[in-house]
Amino acid sequence: MTEREVKKTQESLQDRLAQVIELLQRQRIVEDLTHRQEGQNQNRVENLVHRQNLVELQRKLDDLHSADVAYILEALPLDDRLTVWQLVKAERDGDILLEVSDSVRETLIADMDDHELLAAAKEMDADELADLAPELPRDVVHELMEALDTQQRERVRSALSYDEEQVGALMDFEMVTIREDVSLEVVLRYLRRLKELPGHTDKLFVVDYDGVLKGVLPIKRLLVNDPDKQVSEVMANDPVSFHPDGDAYEAAQAFERYDLISSPVVDKNGKLIGRLTIDEMVDLIREESETEVLNMAGLREEEDIFASVWRSLRNRWSWLAVNLITAFVASRVIGLFEGSIEKLVALAALMPIVAGIGGNSGNQTITMIVRAMALDQVNTGNTKRLLRKELAVGLINGVVWGGVIGVVAYLLYGSWSLGVVMTAAMTLNLLLAALMGVTIPMTLAKLGRDPAMGASVMITAMTDSGGFFIFLGLATIFLL
């Protein structure tokens, strides 16, 4: 899809969202007007108009892809979201539940009874059921497992046995397997007998009679080679494969690195047990990116933007409390130099600049380090070199931009000594920002924590307190 097509699709989706919101608003206006009317025809008019609006809204929803309906649900306040959700056809419930974010899915599931949940889940594949099962009521999961056939039940249990960050939790069980001792013509006839191919099928998996993976047959090779050739002559013998207990994010990186669409998952004996597909990997990368952004801002979990006030408060309180403590520490640092500020009022005007630039520089460093750690580019062998490089960047930035603000300070206050102190303080604080920007995420990682968790809050605290102390300390020593 070209950039223009993507933009057009997004604009169309925004238009659909606007239309849905307009219909919901119109519905509320009509209901309000009819409630004000008096007379025996009030209920009849209200029901007629209500039905017309809902029919039009349902027709628009029916025309949308499940992912687009999910987007609209996420963009609506809770009351409107549930109104729209009630209009979605029951056979589409499962697909949409898999598309929406975790926080929004929770509100939709809470609005469904057990019968509706069972009906939605029964349409799902084993890997999809495994994704949804942890969020369903226990009795629904039990009844659902009882209704599955033996193979599906074992597949769901297998997927649920893995941690959500492992490959096994993301693998798909729907795939096409073939033997290596048959011709391509036989394979083509076999494929024609299937009703449809599993999604994201770019290759067929070649296994022996024990189910051990021998190689893969890319669809493009199947189509362009002589039908009389044997599979063993055409197949790729060394495909990229994964183990179910492997790290899912590392698998996602491999998909990106090798431009994979699907890839086999094998057990320790080399037996094919499932596959990974590009859609799961894209979702994983997106979720990891969103989690990093939230963690750096000090948010504990993904938050529904229309969640209750209390839930939003609980999600934000912990790091706000930490921020309050660090702000108090910074204020006490300033308090140590009250006498200096009283004697030279210019210090009060200039010290936020030192702290602010240090915070921005530190956040830049942390962002680069966290990204590098996510890509496994940081290790014990290059940590010192990385630290030296960031310190060099901080030193040069400090001298250059500190010099600029030093000149500005001289022009404003007519004091060369104040300008020099400003330059020195800026340089030292940027060096501190570089040091903390490297060590904070690495320390968190060594402690087994997410290196992005609250990193922005911590670096800002360090550069604020450190910047105030450095600038006011230098000013006290050299200017007073």
Side-chain angles (χ1 to χ4, degrees):
M1 184 177 289
T2 65
E3 183 177 348
R4 177 178 294 182
E5 289 173 332
V6 171
K7 185 175 181 180
K8 183 178 180 181
T9 300
Q10 187 64 23
E11 289 175 350
S12 175
L13 186 55
Q14 291 289 342
D15 291 340
R16 297 290 182 91
L17 174 59
Q19 292 168 10
V20 169
I21 293 174
E22 182 181 355
L23 283 171
L24 290 169
Q25 291 175 341
R26 188 191 307 170
Q27 179 68 23
R28 284 193 293 269
I29 292 173
V30 170
E31 288 177 352
D32 184 57
L33 290 175
T34 53
H35 280 309
R36 296 178 185 178
Q37 292 179 355
E38 296 181 358
Q40 58 182 355
N41 292 327
Q42 176 184 349
N43 291 336
R44 185 181 303 172
V45 173
E46 181 177 355
N47 290 335
L48 178 61
V49 176
H50 180 76
R51 191 179 301 112
Q52 288 176 341
N53 282 334
L54 293 185
V55 167
E56 184 177 354
L57 181 54
Q58 188 172 44
R59 186 168 59 249
K60 290 186 180 298
L61 294 174
D62 291 343
D63 293 337
L64 292 174
H65 188 277
S66 297
D68 295 337
V69 176
Y71 170 83
I72 289 175
L73 289 170
E74 291 174 351
L76 294 175
L78 183 58
D79 291 343
D80 289 343
R81 178 186 301 159
L82 296 181
T83 298
V84 171
W85 180 237
Q86 292 298 326
L87 297 176
V88 173
K89 290 183 177 179
E91 59 266 24
R92 303 184 67 193
D93 285 354
D95 291 337
I96 295 172
L97 284 174
L98 292 170
E99 294 287 351
V100 295
S101 62
D102 292 345
S103 56
V104 172
R105 184 187 301 130
E106 184 178 335
T107 65
L108 300 181
I109 289 177
D111 190 57
M112 301 172 71
D113 58 34
D114 290 358
H115 175 74
E116 291 173 323
L117 289 171
L118 283 170
K122 285 180 179 178
E123 300 297 324
M124 299 180 185
D125 295 329
D127 58 308
E128 296 171 337
L129 285 174
D131 287 341
L132 193 62
E135 301 181 46
L136 297 176
R138 186 180 298 273
D139 55 337
V140 172
V141 174
H142 178 74
E143 187 172 347
L144 181 62
M145 294 293 284
E146 290 295 323
L148 297 176
D149 59 47
T150 303
Q151 184 185 52
Q152 285 287 86
R153 190 183 304 120
E154 289 304 316
R155 286 177 172 180
V156 173
R157 286 175 177 168
S158 174
L160 289 174
S161 67
Y162 296 101
D163 185 81
E164 63 179 5
E165 296 180 353
Q166 291 182 309
V167 167
L170 301 177
M171 64 181 175
D172 181 10
F173 298 97
E174 301 297 325
M175 53 192 169
V176 179
T177 59
I178 57 175
R179 309 292 183 202
E180 62 180 330
D181 56 354
V182 298
S183 68
L184 299 185
E185 176 62 32
V186 171
V187 174
L188 288 169
R189 287 203 305 268
Y190 170 64
L191 294 181
R192 293 189 192 103
R193 291 169 55 191
L194 301 177
K195 293 182 179 180
E196 61 179 349
L197 292 177
H200 306 289
T201 297
D202 68 319
K203 58 177 67 74
L204 310 179
F205 301 103
V206 184
V207 297
D208 62 17
Y209 289 95
D210 294 321
V212 175
L213 182 70
K214 309 300 291 185
V216 297
L217 176 61
I219 295 294
K220 59 184 179 181
R221 293 193 188 183
L222 172 63
L223 296 177
V224 301
N225 278 280
D226 186 345
D228 293 329
K229 285 187 175 181
Q230 295 286 301
V231 170
S232 57
E233 299 178 67
V234 181
M235 71 180 190
N237 296 302
D238 55 347
V240 177
S241 61
F242 302 95
H243 293 283
D245 55 355
D247 184 88
Y249 193 69
E250 290 181 2
Q253 291 176 330
F255 264 70
E256 181 183 14
R257 187 162 54 248
Y258 302 123
D259 295 327
L260 299 174
I261 302 298
S262 66
S263 189
V265 179
V266 297
D267 63 15
K268 59 183 179 181
N269 297 317
K271 186 175 181 179
L272 180 68
I273 58 175
R275 65 170 184 153
L276 290 179
T277 54
I278 185 63
D279 57 329
E280 289 288 351
M281 297 297 99
V282 170
D283 288 344
L284 177 64
I285 292 173
R286 176 182 55 80
E287 290 169 3
E288 286 288 332
S289 299
E290 291 175 353
T291 299
E292 283 187 8
V293 172
L294 293 172
N295 285 344
M296 290 189 71
L299 294 173
R300 295 185 303 170
E301 59 184 25
E302 176 191 24
E303 181 181 311
D304 178 6
I305 59 173
F306 297 109
S308 66
V309 173
W310 175 242
R311 179 160 189 170
S312 295
L313 286 173
R314 285 192 294 117
N315 191 30
R316 305 179 193 187
W317 265 354
S318 57
W319 281 103
L320 284 178
V322 173
N323 202 11
L324 178 62
I325 295 172
T326 58
F328 179 77
V329 171
S331 71
R332 297 318 306 151
V333 170
I334 296 173
L336 295 175
F337 299 95
E338 286 181 354
S340 301
I341 296 174
E342 289 177 357
K343 295 177 182 178
L344 188 57
V345 180
L347 299 179
L350 295 175
M351 65 182 184
I353 299 176
V354 177
I357 296 297
N360 289 337
S361 178
N363 276 307
Q364 289 177 343
T365 302
I366 274 189
T367 301
M368 294 296 296
I369 298 300
V370 169
R371 178 182 178 276
M373 294 177 72
L375 297 175
D376 291 329
Q377 296 174 346
V378 179
N379 52 61
T380 54
N382 60 21
T383 301
K384 290 183 179 179
R385 178 177 296 182
L386 184 61
L387 179 59
R388 287 197 298 269
K389 177 252 184 180
E390 290 300 326
L391 288 174
V393 171
L395 177 62
I396 295 173
N397 277 334
V399 171
V400 172
W401 296 109
V404 170
I405 197 63
V407 172
V408 172
Y410 165 72
L411 294 176
L412 288 175
Y413 300 103
S415 172
W416 275 110
S417 56
L418 178 60
V420 172
V421 166
M422 190 70 181
T423 301
M426 183 82 77
T427 302
L428 291 174
N429 200 31
L430 289 184
L431 288 172
L432 175 64
L435 177 63
M436 292 297 102
V438 174
T439 56
I440 286 175
M442 289 187 176
T443 301
L444 289 172
K446 286 184 178 180
L447 295 175
R449 304 294 298 275
D450 188 331
M453 176 60 75
S456 179
V457 176
M458 287 187 279
I459 192 67
T460 301
M462 296 297 296
T463 53
D464 280 356
S465 299
F468 292 149
F469 184 81
I470 292 170
F471 178 58
L472 295 176
L474 290 176
T476 300
I477 295 173
F478 295 106
L479 300 181
L480 300 176

